[in-house]
């Protein structure tokens, strides 16, 4: 029980922080919006940001399971459905990162225009679009804000937490990926980190209280 609680708390702090660091070090954030060009200009940082995003999204999928635990007694249906969406979405996002080294390689061996043409031809295959991109890649950034709404409905955290998560991750879709993405993806670090800190401080007894109390056979028979 302690392991599950501590794991959930730590990952809710670490996972969004890794994503915020990734967008900061990503050459594509500050350089040419054609990643074949920006990645080729700084391949070391390109590889670093891919690894940071990968572990951020993989660890967030695990952290989401801890958030779902907080909805066992209230907002249960909503919490479990949105939690499942978030887990699927974050795992799906992580898989897409394998395209980053492909972009870097294409940028090293072809002109930007030719690299983009080859990449578009690869990514526009129906199996890639519907198997790896749409709509699954959006489930994480949509499911997590909705899950924090469920956690708020349980009374575990204030209304400001789901608001910050929604503004950060959903608001990030309103701007082109670049410098403006940095503040959007930094904002949720505070909200999710606060939830993680509360989980770490709550203790095992409070964590266990979210499990439904088992009904004894005597009580069940007497209620009939």
């Amino acid at each position: 029980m302690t392991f599950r609680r501590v794991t959930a708390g730590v990952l809710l702090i670490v996972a969004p922080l890794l994503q915020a660091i990734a967008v900061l070090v990503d050459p594509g954030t500050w350089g040419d919006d054609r990643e074949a060009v920006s990645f080729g200009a700084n391949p070391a940082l390109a590889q670093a940001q891919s690894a940071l995003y990968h572990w951020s999204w993989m660890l967030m999928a695990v952290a989401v399971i801890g958030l779902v635990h907080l909805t066992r007694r209230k907002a249960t249906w909503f919490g479990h459905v949105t939690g499942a969406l978030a887990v699927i979405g974050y795992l799906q996002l992580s898989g897409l990162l394998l395209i980053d080294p492909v972009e870097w390689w294409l940028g090293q061996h072809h002109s930007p225009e030719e690299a983009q043409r080859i990449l578009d031809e690869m990514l526009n295959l129906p199996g890639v679009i519907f198997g790896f991109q749409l709509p699954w890649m959006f489930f994480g950034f949509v499911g997590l804000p909705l899950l924090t709404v469920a956690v708020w409905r349980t009374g575990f955290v204030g209304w400001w937490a789901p608001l910050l998560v929604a503004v950060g991750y959903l608001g990030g879709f309103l701007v082109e990926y670049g410098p403006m993405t940095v503040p959007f993806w930094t904002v949720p670090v505070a909200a999710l980190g606060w939830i993680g800190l509360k989980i770490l401080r709550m203790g095992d007894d409070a964590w266990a209280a979210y499990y439904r109390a088992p009904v004894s056979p005597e009580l069940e028979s007497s209620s009939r």
Side-chain angles (χ1 to χ4, degrees), residues 43-54:
L45 284 181
Q47 295 172 69
Q49 64 86 28
S50 292
L52 287 166
Y53 275 132
H54 167 72

Side-chain angles (χ1 to χ4, degrees), residues 169-194:
Y169 289 146
L170 297 180
F173 287 120
L174 301 178
V175 298
E176 186 177 355
Y177 185 84
M180 284 301 298
T181 310
V182 175
F184 278 107
W185 284 7
T186 302
V187 165
V189 175
L192 295 172
W194 175 247

Side-chain angles (χ1 to χ4, degrees), residues 15-110:
L17 183 60
L18 289 179
Q19 179 174 320
I21 296 173
V23 73
L24 281 172
V25 304
D26 186 354
T29 301
W30 313 101
D32 197 302
D33 59 359
R34 296 169 298 179
E35 291 183 336
V37 177
S38 57
F39 284 5
N42 201 326
L45 284 181
Q47 295 172 69
Q49 64 86 28
S50 292
L52 287 166
Y53 275 132
H54 167 72
W55 283 106
S56 167
W57 294 336
M58 290 288 286
L59 295 177
M60 184 60 78
V62 180
V64 162
I65 298 173
L67 285 178
V68 171
H69 173 77
L70 300 176
T71 67
R72 285 178 178 269
R73 302 182 69 89
K74 191 174 182 181
T76 304
W77 181 89
F78 186 51
H80 282 65
V81 170
T82 56
L85 291 177
V87 169
I88 292 172
Y90 276 106
L91 292 178
Q92 192 68 44
L93 282 168
S94 178
L96 292 175
L97 291 170
L98 281 177
I99 200 63
D100 286 0
V102 175
E103 289 190 273
W104 173 80
W105 188 92
L106 289 174
Q108 293 290 306
H109 294 83
H110 299 279

Side-chain angles (χ1 to χ4, degrees), residues 103-121:
E103 289 190 273
W104 173 80
W105 188 92
L106 289 174
Q108 293 290 306
H109 294 83
H110 299 279
S111 67
E113 293 74 21
E114 180 66 6
Q116 191 62 51
R117 185 194 68 79
I118 296 172
L119 190 67
D120 289 343
E121 191 171 316

